[in-house]
Amino acid sequence: MILTLTPNPALDLTYRIDALQPGETHRVSAGPARAGGKGINVARVLHTQGFPVRAVLTAGGATGAQVVADLQESGIAHEAVPVGSPTRRTIAVVEDGDGTTTLLSESGAALSEDERARLHAAVQSPLPIASCLVISGSLPAGFPPEEIAAMVASSRSRGIPVIVDTSGPALLAAAAAGADLLKPNAAELAEATGERDLAAGAQALLDLGADTVLVSLGEEGMLAAHSASAWTRAALPRVLRGNPTGAGDAGVAAAAMLLAQGAPTAADLLRAATSWSAAAVLMPLAGEISRTHRELAVEVALHPYPDSEERP
Amino acid sequence: MILTLTPNPALDLTYRIDALQPGETHRVSAGPARAGGKGINVARVLHTQGFPVRAVLTAGGATGAQVVADLQESGIAHEAVPVGSPTRRTIAVVEDGDGTTTLLSESGAALSEDERARLHAAVQSPLPIASCLVISGSLPAGFPPEEIAAMVASSRSRGIPVIVDTSGPALLAAAAAGADLLKPNAAELAEATGERDLAAGAQALLDLGADTVLVSLGEEGMLAAHSASAWTRAALPRVLRGNPTGAGDAGVAAAAMLLAQGAPTAADLLRAATSWSAAAVLMPLAGEISRTHRELAVEVALHPYPDSEERP
C-alpha cells in the first residue's frame, strides 16, 4: 500500500468556458467538484491504475465534507483528520480551444498543534504496512518544516522509501532528512535553493542528503539527478497539448509505484514518470492519466545530462 | 412581512485579487461564501434595514446546505424547499483598485414537477400574511413562465402587491398577469420585448398589464414608467465607484418597502430605489447598503421623461 499525505488538501472546482474575459459575466455549467491537492491526485492516479493506496488528509467544514464524500465515491481509501477551519477551494477556469487555464488557489488555514499531532499520528499508524510514503503539495500556513523532516526520518528508519513534492524550507528539510526522491519543478528548485542554475540547484538538494532529485521541466521533460550515479534527462520528442494540471502528480505516482517495488534504475524511473506525466496532460482532470501511457513510455528519449547540447 | 421568492438561488463566493490574469495562477484568501440570488439579496437588504422578511428558496446538496447555514447565521427568516440537484454557485473575482468584477455564474439545474409544486406551496402558505411579494432573479432551466404568472395572479387576487425582477418570457408573463412593478435593466427590457427603444420597451410591458416599470440604467439612474401617470427619470448628479453587484436588488428592496406600506408616488419610489441602489454600490458585498442612503436620497434629481434633452 502506498501512503500519501496531503497536508493542505482542497476542493477542486473546474469550469470550462469559451474565453475568460476580465470584467465580464460568464454563464457556466456546474463543473466537477473533486477532492484535490497533490497527494490526493497521486493517490487517485495510483488507485485508478489498480495500486493499493491510502490517502491521509485534513478535512474541515462543508468543503471538507465534500472532499471526503468525493474520496468515498471514488473508492480511494483515506483517513481524513477532522480540523476546525474549512478545507480550502481551488477554482480552475479552462478555456476551450487552447486549454488556457486560470487558477484561483485559496491558501489553507493554519492547523492547531493538536490537529498537527493528529495528522502526524494518521501517517504513523499505517506507516509500518506501507511500501512507500508520498508527502505532496503545499503546507498550511505556519506548518513547521521540521514536522515534514520528522515524517521523512521516521519512514527512512523503517526502510520505507519516501517521496516529497513540496517547496521552500520544507523541501530543504526533507532533503536534509534523507528523502529518497524529491520532485520540485525548476521554479521551486531555484526558489528553495537560491541557485538559478538547474544543475547547481539539484546538486544542493543532493548535498543536503536527498538520494534522487527529479526536476520536472514541463514540455522539456524531466531531469533525474542522483547522489551516486550519472544524471539523465528524459523528454518526449513531441509536445502534447492538454491540461498540465496534475501532470507532476502523475509523475510522482509513477515514481512511487517503482520505489514501492524496489530500487528502480534511473532509466526506468524517468521513462515511467515522464510517460505518466505526459499521459496526465491528455486528460481533462487532475488525477487521471490516459491509457496511452504505455505507448508514450516507448517514445521517451533519454540523454545523459549535461549532454553535448547543454555544454556551454 | 415582505415575502421574497428566489427560484434559482446560489452560493456566492467572492475573491479579492490584485488583477485577474488569464492563464495564470492566483493565490487568494478564502473569501465569504454567502447565500445569494436576487431574491435573497432583496431579503438581506430589507432584513438589515429592520423590515420583517421571509425568503423562500430551493436548496440542494452541500452547496444548498451552505446557503441555508448562511441564512440561519444572518438571521434571515427563510423556507428552503429541499431539491435533488445541488444549489448552483457564483464566483465573483473583484480586482483591487478599480473594482473590476469578473463573474462565473453557474446555471441552475431543472426542478422536478414535484419540486416546483412544493416551491409554489412554500410561497402560497405565508402569502396571506405578506405585505408584498417579490419574485427575483433567473429561473432554473425549464421553469414554466406560467408558474410565475400564476403566483403574480394569486397575490394580486388577495390585494397583495407583487414585484417581479426577472428576464425573458417570465418577465412578459408577469406583466400580463398584472404585476404591480417590474424591474428589468435596459438590456433585459430590450431582450424580452424585442424593442430597442427604452420607452417603447417599457410601454410594451405596461400594455401587457404591468402597473409600473422601473428600468435600472446603471450610472444613469432609473426610469419609472406608469400606465396611468407621467414618466420620470431619476439620477444621482455624480457617479459612485464601487461594486455594482446587488445594486438592482437594493432598488427592488426599497420599492418593496414602499409598496408594502401603500401606493407610493413615483417621486418617492424613484428617490428610495435610486438611493438604496447607489448605497449598495458603496458596499463590498451584494445584499448590503451604506448608511449614507439617506444623504444620497436628498441628492437624487428627478426629471420628467422624456425631457428636453431626450427629445430628438
Side-chain angles (χ1 to χ4, degrees), chain B residues 48-185:
Chain B
T48 56
Q49 297 307 308
F51 296 93
V53 294
R54 182 172 186 81
V56 174
L57 62 147
T58 60
T63 42
Q66 286 170 275
V67 164
V68 171
D70 179 63
L71 289 172
Q72 268 157 357
E73 198 172 307
S74 304
I76 298 170
H78 59 278
E79 178 163 357
V81 173
V83 294
S85 295
T87 298
R88 69 198 181 100
R89 295 182 186 85
T90 74
I91 295 162
V93 181
V94 183
E95 296 181 38
D96 294 335
D98 67 357
T100 296
T101 299
T102 307
L103 201 68
L104 298 179
S105 178
E106 292 184 5
S107 52
L111 303 182
S112 70
E113 208 176 314
D114 179 56
E115 288 165 350
R116 291 204 313 270
R118 278 186 284 132
L119 190 63
H120 199 87
V123 171
Q124 286 297 321
S125 161
L127 190 56
I129 57 163
S131 54
C132 182
L133 170 63
V134 178
I135 302 172
S136 248
S138 61
L139 300 179
F143 197 97
E146 297 75 28
E147 295 196 16
I148 299 300
M151 289 184 202
V152 171
S154 166
S155 193
R156 291 296 304 131
S157 71
R158 294 171 189 275
I160 298 161
V162 196
I163 301 178
V164 179
D165 178 6
T166 188
S167 56
L171 183 66
L172 303 180
D180 293 84
L181 193 149
L182 301 176
K183 208 290 298 151
N185 61 33

Side-chain angles (χ1 to χ4, degrees), chain A:
Chain A
M1 172 269 290
I2 294 169
L3 185 63
T4 73
L5 169 63
T6 312
N8 200 19
L11 180 67
D12 283 350
L13 307 178
T14 304
Y15 296 99
R16 294 202 73 91
I17 64 176
D18 268 1
L20 180 63
Q21 294 177 307
E24 298 298 319
T25 292
H26 308 74
R27 306 273 159 206
V28 296
S29 296
R34 302 218 314 188
K38 283 172 177 278
I40 289 172
N41 293 344
V42 171
R44 193 185 295 276
V45 167
L46 288 165
H47 173 73
T48 56
Q49 297 305 307
F51 296 94
V53 295
R54 183 172 186 83
V56 174
L57 61 148
T58 59
T63 42
Q66 287 170 275
V67 163
V68 171
D70 179 63
L71 289 171
Q72 267 157 357
E73 197 171 308
S74 305
I76 297 169
H78 59 277
E79 178 162 356
V81 173
V83 293
S85 295
T87 298
R88 70 197 179 101
R89 294 182 185 84
T90 74
I91 294 163
V93 181
V94 183
E95 297 182 38
D96 294 336
D98 68 355
T100 296
T101 299
T102 306
L103 202 67
L104 299 180
S105 180
E106 293 182 4
S107 53
L111 304 182
S112 72
E113 206 174 317
D114 179 58
E115 288 166 349
R116 290 205 312 271
R118 279 186 284 133
L119 189 63
H120 199 86
V123 171
Q124 286 297 319
S125 160
L127 190 57
I129 57 163
S131 54
C132 184
L133 170 63
V134 178
I135 301 172
S136 248
S138 60
L139 300 179
F143 197 98
E146 298 74 28
E147 294 196 16
I148 299 298
M151 290 185 201
V152 171
S154 165
S155 192
R156 290 299 302 132
S157 72
R158 293 169 189 275
I160 296 162
V162 196
I163 301 178
V164 180
D165 178 5
T166 188
S167 57
L171 183 66
L172 303 179
D180 293 84
L181 193 147
L182 301 175
K183 208 289 299 152
N185 61 33
E188 289 163 343
L189 182 66
E191 192 271 328
T193 64
E195 298 283 359
R196 291 176 135 202
D197 177 66
L198 189 63
Q203 189 62 52
L205 293 181
L206 296 176
D207 289 346
L208 278 170
D211 184 67
T212 296
V213 178
L214 206 57
V215 188
S216 49
L217 304 169
E219 292 174 357
E220 289 167 26
M222 287 188 180
L223 165 69
H226 303 276
S227 52
S229 57
W231 296 11
T232 313
R233 194 174 72 80
L236 276 180
R238 59 196 173 105
V239 171
L240 299 178
R241 295 184 69 169
N243 174 15
T245 314
D249 304 329
V252 168
M257 165 194 71
L258 290 178
L259 281 175
Q261 291 166 10
T265 66
D268 286 349
L269 190 65
L270 278 170
R271 202 173 285 284
T274 307
S275 60
W276 284 33
S277 244
V281 170
L282 300 175
M283 302 301 281
L285 295 173
E288 299 175 351
I289 65 173
S290 158
R291 290 183 183 182
T292 58
H293 68 84
R294 284 188 188 79
E295 290 76 26
L296 291 166
V298 178
E299 286 189 56
V300 172
L302 302 173
H303 309 279
Y305 183 95
D307 69 9
S308 52
E309 285 172 41
E310 279 133 349
R311 278 189 200 121

